[in-house]
Amino acid sequence: MNTRGEHVLKFDFSNCFKENLGTGFTVSELLTDASTVTHSLNYIEESVPGFLRILKTDESLNEVKSLEKWVQKFDSIVVIGIGGSALGNRALHSALKGFSWNDLSNNQREGKARVLVLDNVDPESFKVIIDKINFKNTLFNVISKSGTTVETMANYLVIRQLLENQGIPPKEHFLFTTDSKKGVLREIADKEGIRTLNIPHDVGGRFSVLTQVGLLSAMAEGINIEDLYEGAKKAVRKYINCEKPEENPLVVAALIFHKSIKQNKNISVMMPYSKRLYDFADWYRQLWAESLGKRYDLDGREVNIGQTPVKALGAIDQHSQIQLYNEGPNDKIITFIKVNEFSNEIKLPVYENIPDELQYLSGNDFSNLIIRELEGTAAALTNNGVQNMTVIFDKINESSIGDLIVFYELLTAVMGKLLNIDPYNQPGVELGKKITRLLMGKEEEDINEKIVKAKRRYLL
């Protein structure tokens, strides 16, 4: 099945069905359950989760744009966050600015900022980032709704000390993106007059890329956030208002993923054939894992549901992972991402005396080669009965990335409804955070210290 039309993105589901795989379900068998998905989609539209509500107005967009003149004063923006407060920023940066942006001079960037991300407390990676910047012309965007995220606040405290050691006023080099009314960062900002952006109260971190969380760094480096938003808004209308379920890629994808989970295909591989979209696969991994990996359903039953998201990169991982996917356990569903038009092209030279074994490469180009590699890999998987689908970009731009983000946010919300779980919470993450704070010396009243001690030690 190939969903066509006036869409920014296209979706090829041909290799998900028995007609091509020789196993599994047919197109008609899949679509018998289409009404379940459309009802779920209607429920989500009516309940207006935060990631949809923000697209009904330009509130987030306008709040970020109000700081544009001030932000333009800085040569570098360092995002200090983790998880949903960092992955979306990385995904937008890689997809829409590419790999060499931060290495360009200020003139080459036409005055737009470099964007770097501090999202771990690995001391070596911290130093790599710090060594790249001049503190006097750097803005540090600290992102945490609660202001208690341990990694984010540890990085903040060190950066603050480094600023103070150089006699640089922190007030002029920090921007806090946090809760509008409460939390540690809000208290510090109110006390010291530090500029802030609000994180919408009803948008969780992994759904926050199109809020102030992701838009500020995007604007600073010259990404057209209006086009990004417009692409997202058009996508909402496209996927929600499509009257024929069989022509709605969101409905078809949800049905396929739901069936795959029920058939114990517990691994979802995302494999872009463009390195610019590799960080998007990281964003997807958090979205899919935290949203759908749940111990209990909404009725309190223990279900231990979910799919493990794995990222791969074409064509590199054809030479590392694809052997397993072709001939190992058939417990995976693969999503390829294809780009028809690359922003650069490399032509292979024409040689008259080239060996016969290499003649097919003569005069060809890299974009054609990487596309054919994707198609060959998909055909091999199909021949081995492994479900795979392809998301197709005509071209990577702000509008198409906005579309892609909304597609996966909506798909995740629909999957939550189909699986009868809450896609917006993450109780399994919270316990680890509490234990970490306990190990660092903070009292946690609801954590018994005994749970962090192994009953039997086996240390070699």
Side-chain angles (χ1 to χ4, degrees):
M1 177 182 291
N2 195 3
T3 304
R4 298 287 182 179
E6 299 300 322
H7 296 171
V8 174
L9 298 180
K10 301 180 181 69
F11 298 81
D12 190 341
F13 298 112
S14 306
N15 298 334
C16 289
F17 299 108
K18 188 175 183 179
E19 288 89 339
N20 287 333
L21 288 168
T23 185
F25 45 81
T26 66
V27 174
S28 58
E29 287 170 344
L30 181 82
L31 292 173
T32 57
D33 294 327
S35 62
T36 305
V37 179
T38 55
H39 289 156
S40 298
L41 195 55
N42 290 337
Y43 171 84
I44 291 163
E45 180 189 17
E46 292 170 3
S47 63
V48 196
F51 73 89
L52 287 183
R53 181 193 60 76
I54 61 166
L55 296 174
K56 291 181 177 293
T57 72
D58 289 336
E59 182 179 334
S60 295
L61 201 65
N62 292 335
E63 187 179 336
V64 168
K65 288 169 66 178
S66 71
L67 296 178
E68 186 170 12
K69 288 185 178 180
W70 177 62
V71 170
Q72 286 175 346
K73 297 177 182 179
F74 298 96
D75 181 69
S76 300
I77 307 292
V78 176
V79 173
I80 301 177
I82 197 168
S85 298
L87 293 174
N89 299 70
R90 284 189 184 276
L92 292 178
H93 171 79
S94 298
L96 297 170
K97 302 308 290 188
F99 316 113
S100 62
W101 177 258
N102 287 340
D103 296 324
L104 300 177
S105 68
N106 186 272
N107 286 338
Q108 290 172 317
R109 288 183 272 111
E110 298 181 342
K112 302 300 182 182
R114 298 185 300 162
V115 170
L116 304 104
V117 180
L118 268 176
D119 61 350
N120 206 347
V121 285
D122 175 347
E124 294 180 354
S125 63
F126 179 93
K127 187 175 187 302
V128 169
I129 297 291
I130 295 309
D131 286 347
K132 290 181 178 180
I133 61 173
N134 180 339
F135 276 70
K136 292 181 179 179
N137 56 23
T138 299
L139 173 64
F140 298 93
N141 183 197
V142 186
I143 306 175
S144 172
K145 184 178 283 189
S146 66
T148 59
T149 309
V150 61
E151 301 86 355
T152 301
M153 299 312 292
N155 279 315
Y156 158 71
L157 291 172
V158 174
I159 293 294
R160 183 175 183 119
Q161 182 185 51
L162 291 173
L163 284 168
E164 292 172 345
N165 288 348
Q166 296 184 43
I168 300 171
K171 175 182 174 181
E172 296 305 319
H173 290 264
F174 275 124
L175 170 66
F176 293 168
T177 304
T178 189
D179 188 89
S180 62
K181 297 179 180 178
K182 59 185 180 180
V184 175
L185 286 176
R186 176 58 58 184
E187 291 176 11
I188 297 171
D190 290 346
K191 181 179 179 181
E192 300 184 13
I194 293 173
R195 292 174 178 85
T196 62
L197 289 171
N198 298 320
I199 298 178
H201 68 92
D202 55 353
V203 182
R206 58 188 177 272
F207 290 90
S208 68
V209 60
L210 294 178
T211 71
Q212 294 87 326
V213 169
L215 294 177
L216 187 283
S217 68
M219 179 189 70
E221 61 181 340
I223 292 172
N224 190 321
I225 58 176
E226 290 89 350
D227 286 355
L228 183 69
Y229 240 53
E230 189 58 30
K233 289 179 178 181
K234 286 181 178 178
V236 172
R237 295 192 293 269
K238 177 174 66 176
Y239 299 125
I240 288 181
N241 296 336
C242 183
E243 294 182 358
K244 297 181 178 179
E246 68 276 12
E247 294 181 1
N248 189 338
L250 185 73
V251 171
V252 176
L255 287 168
I256 291 170
F257 275 106
H258 188 232
K259 276 191 174 292
S260 73
I261 290 174
K262 294 299 183 182
Q263 295 173 349
N264 296 317
K265 293 192 175 179
N266 296 320
I267 298 173
S268 170
V269 179
M270 177 171 282
M271 190 171 183
Y273 274 68
S274 167
K275 196 167 183 180
R276 286 172 61 184
L277 296 171
Y278 198 39
D279 283 338
F280 179 85
D282 269 334
W283 176 83
Y284 164 75
R285 287 196 304 173
Q286 183 196 12
L287 183 72
W288 207 246
E290 279 193 351
S291 299
L292 303 185
K294 298 296 158 63
R295 182 175 181 177
Y296 298 104
D297 68 10
L298 294 175
D299 297 319
R301 295 176 298 184
E302 191 166 358
V303 290
N304 296 112
I305 201 75
Q307 254 182 347
T308 301
V310 172
K311 76 171 183 174
L313 180 63
I316 291 172
D317 286 316
Q318 288 176 203
H319 301 269
S320 64
Q321 298 181 29
I322 290 298
Q323 170 62 32
L324 171 67
Y325 301 164
N326 264 311
E327 297 188 2
N330 195 351
D331 57 354
K332 304 164 192 73
I333 181 166
I334 319 294
T335 301
F336 296 110
I337 304 183
K338 175 182 178 182
V339 179
N340 284 329
E341 183 182 338
F342 289 81
S343 59
N344 294 293
E345 188 54 275
I346 304 295
K347 297 289 291 186
L348 286 152
V350 176
Y351 286 111
E352 293 182 2
N353 298 322
I354 195 171
D356 290 344
E357 291 85 352
L358 301 178
Q359 194 60 241
Y360 71 97
L361 291 174
S362 181
N364 222 309
D365 54 62
F366 275 21
S367 63
N368 185 52
L369 175 57
I370 199 167
I371 288 171
R372 301 305 166 224
E373 296 230 46
L374 185 159
E375 293 170 350
T377 303
L381 288 165
T382 304
N383 187 62
N384 282 298
V386 180
Q387 280 187 312
N388 62 92
M389 66 183 72
T390 304
V391 181
I392 305 166
F393 279 79
D394 289 331
K395 186 177 182 179
I396 299 173
N397 57 25
E398 284 88 345
S399 184
S400 60
I401 292 297
D403 190 332
L404 188 67
I405 289 168
V406 163
F407 177 82
Y408 276 102
E409 288 181 336
L410 275 172
L411 179 61
T412 300
V414 169
M415 289 300 296
K417 186 68 177 170
L418 294 177
L419 296 172
N420 192 37
I421 51 96
D422 183 351
Y424 306 114
N425 68 357
Q426 55 277 337
V429 178
E430 299 307 320
L431 178 60
K433 290 180 179 179
K434 290 180 179 181
I435 294 174
T436 297
R437 291 193 293 266
L438 179 67
L439 291 170
M440 289 295 291
K442 186 179 186 299
E443 292 186 9
E444 293 287 339
E445 294 181 359
D446 58 339
I447 296 293
N448 186 334
E449 192 171 355
K450 290 181 180 180
I451 72 170
V452 304
K453 296 180 178 178
K455 294 180 180 178
R456 177 179 177 179
R457 301 290 289 177
Y458 193 168
L459 181 64
L460 301 180

